[in-house]
Amino acid sequence: MGDVGIDRRAFLSGVGGIAAGAAAVSLTACDSRTDRSSTKSGKLLVVRDFGGAYGEANRKAIYDPFTKETGVRINVVNYSSDQILAQIKEGRPRFDVMDIDMSNLVRFEHEGASQELDYGRLKNTRNAGIAESLLTPNGVGKSYWASVLAYGADAFGGRKPASWADFWNLGTFPGRRALQGTVDWPELEFALLADGVPLDGLYPLDVHRAFKVLDEIKGSVRTFWEYGAEPGELLDRKQVEASSTWAGRVQSLIKGGSPLAYEWNGARRQSNGYGIPKGAANSDGAYRLIDFALRPEVQAHMTRIYPEGPVVPAAYGFLTESTAVNLASTPGHLLSGFDLDIAWWLENGNSVTRRWQEWVRN
């Protein structure tokens, strides 16, 4: 997911940094606060999403078709997770729907900041095959994205690293490496996979073992990347030979002609989802939009524009094989990768991140 970094940095810093008066960026000409009477009457729905290319894809695949069908106008805002919490705790959320990563949706549930969902009003979740982990009390999954192993196509004399064990194998695959910094949870899972831990045995993470394995390649790690485009830039400029990266980013570079490649084996999947804040002015509209977005054909339309995998399996019936092969939720990729364990990271993330930051510095 190319636009998650700003929110995740705020998430990792904890709730203490909330700035109640911080300004937010509106992606429409009209700020949501200027037309709350319309919101209350159901004619306007205010949605928080990540903005950028993701926001534009939402506009084309979901918001505009929804407005055409229902007559409900949509304004979009781009509040950070801490701004979201601050507004809700003040009792004045200036948005009706949250499109955000599932980790934050679970966090908001724990904070008492979101409404418990009435799944009876979300008919497109019924018997739809959506993973149980994405049907949480206060949030429903919308799309999958993944972190993968990427490398220069000509970096290793024709040899292709096919696993995280190969990423760690500096003898067969020599050269410089890059790993993710603090833009998301530390990539301890990749170290454990490199050390032979099976996909279904990753959690609870053996933190001490992971750092011991990380020590093995630390001397070859040129940088710890902090924004979505960075690993692709490092690979494209041949400043590193291999890096972890978000799949969508490297796919875009390859499509543009960059001599890069990537491997789905051992991919770490995460999900974006929908939630409704407590105090939302237009909960009815929120339910209608969420249910609309979970239609298989709408999920497929979104995927054609923005390369995140649908959560509704029936969406694949509307996609070509050439599109499906690049998605994190394609059945084969579901088997070769793993889902980040949100509960484990919420419980252990702060202490592990502190240790990670100390490890990076030393």
Side-chain angles (χ1 to χ4, degrees):
M1 168 66 198
D3 300 287
V4 73
I6 295 174
D7 248 25
R8 182 54 52 81
R9 283 197 187 96
F11 184 33
L12 293 176
S13 68
V15 183
I18 293 175
V25 178
S26 175
L27 301 183
T28 63
C30 175
D31 186 273
S32 62
R33 288 172 291 179
T34 66
D35 201 5
R36 298 309 283 171
S37 60
S38 295
T39 304
K40 292 176 182 178
S41 68
K43 297 178 181 177
L44 175 70
L45 189 68
V46 182
V47 181
R48 180 274 174 209
D49 72 22
F50 295 106
Y54 179 78
E56 286 302 310
N58 273 319
R59 173 66 63 189
K60 294 175 182 177
I62 301 173
Y63 305 154
D64 287 349
F66 176 79
T67 297
K68 184 176 181 180
E69 178 175 301
T70 66
V72 177
R73 293 188 298 112
I74 292 180
N75 279 359
V76 183
V77 292
N78 184 210
Y79 299 117
S80 72
S81 58
D82 282 349
Q83 289 170 326
I84 288 172
L85 276 175
Q87 290 185 23
I88 294 170
K89 289 182 177 182
E90 288 174 347
R92 297 173 58 237
R94 295 189 286 275
F95 50 93
D96 306 297
V97 184
M98 300 176 286
D99 179 340
I100 199 167
D101 59 286
M102 290 297 294
S103 291
N104 268 309
L105 287 174
V106 175
R107 174 197 178 194
F108 297 155
E109 177 186 335
H110 293 171
E111 293 280 342
S114 55
Q115 297 183 24
E116 184 172 351
L117 293 178
D118 178 359
Y119 278 96
R121 302 178 67 179
L122 298 173
K123 66 179 186 300
N124 287 309
T125 64
R126 299 174 199 162
N127 303 312
I130 300 173
E132 288 295 321
S133 61
L134 301 183
L135 298 170
T136 70
N138 294 41
V140 59
K142 174 195 178 186
S143 60
Y144 285 103
W145 55 281
S147 298
V148 298
L149 188 170
Y151 56 95
D154 57 355
F156 305 113
R159 295 186 300 275
K160 300 178 179 180
S163 67
W164 291 106
D166 288 344
F167 184 92
W168 255 256
N169 187 345
L170 297 170
T172 304
F173 300 95
R176 298 154 296 183
R177 304 294 197 256
L179 288 171
Q180 185 176 266
T182 59
V183 69
D184 201 350
W185 300 121
E187 297 171 331
L188 269 60
E189 295 94 338
F190 297 157
L192 293 171
L193 290 174
D195 203 39
V197 177
L199 291 170
D200 60 0
L202 281 171
Y203 298 99
L205 298 182
D206 186 334
V207 175
H208 297 294
R209 180 177 177 180
F211 276 100
K212 184 177 179 181
V213 178
L214 283 164
D215 284 338
E216 296 173 8
I217 63 164
K218 187 174 183 181
S220 296
V221 178
R222 181 186 182 280
T223 191
F224 297 93
W225 55 272
E226 293 293 355
Y227 57 92
E230 188 176 5
E233 293 169 358
L234 292 167
L235 289 164
D236 220 13
R237 296 169 183 165
K238 301 186 183 300
Q239 293 175 329
V240 300
E241 279 65 52
S243 177
S244 61
T245 187
W246 295 327
R249 293 287 187 160
V250 71
Q251 288 167 0
S252 295
L253 289 170
I254 293 171
K255 190 174 181 179
S258 293
L260 306 178
Y262 67 100
E263 174 58 52
W264 280 107
N265 185 25
R268 184 170 79 170
R269 282 188 303 275
Q270 298 189 61
S271 302
N272 297 328
Y274 286 119
I276 304 174
K278 281 193 173 177
N282 190 359
S283 292
D284 288 341
Y287 274 105
R288 293 176 71 186
L289 178 70
I290 295 169
D291 203 43
F292 181 90
L294 293 176
R295 293 178 184 176
E297 64 274 20
V298 175
Q299 288 254 296
H301 191 185
M302 178 69 180
T303 289
R304 291 188 203 100
I305 302 171
Y306 195 87
E308 291 194 347
V311 301
V312 178
Y316 279 96
F318 297 88
L319 297 172
T320 64
E321 185 176 350
S322 60
T323 297
V325 73
N326 293 317
L327 303 175
S329 56
T330 297
H333 299 160
L334 288 175
L335 294 175
S336 64
F338 65 95
D339 292 310
L340 178 140
D341 189 321
I342 293 174
W344 189 91
W345 277 107
L346 285 177
E347 182 177 351
N348 300 280
N350 287 338
S351 61
V352 171
T353 299
R354 284 194 297 269
R355 181 170 176 179
W356 168 261
Q357 292 169 338
E358 182 180 349
W359 181 83
V360 169
R361 287 193 301 265
N362 296 328

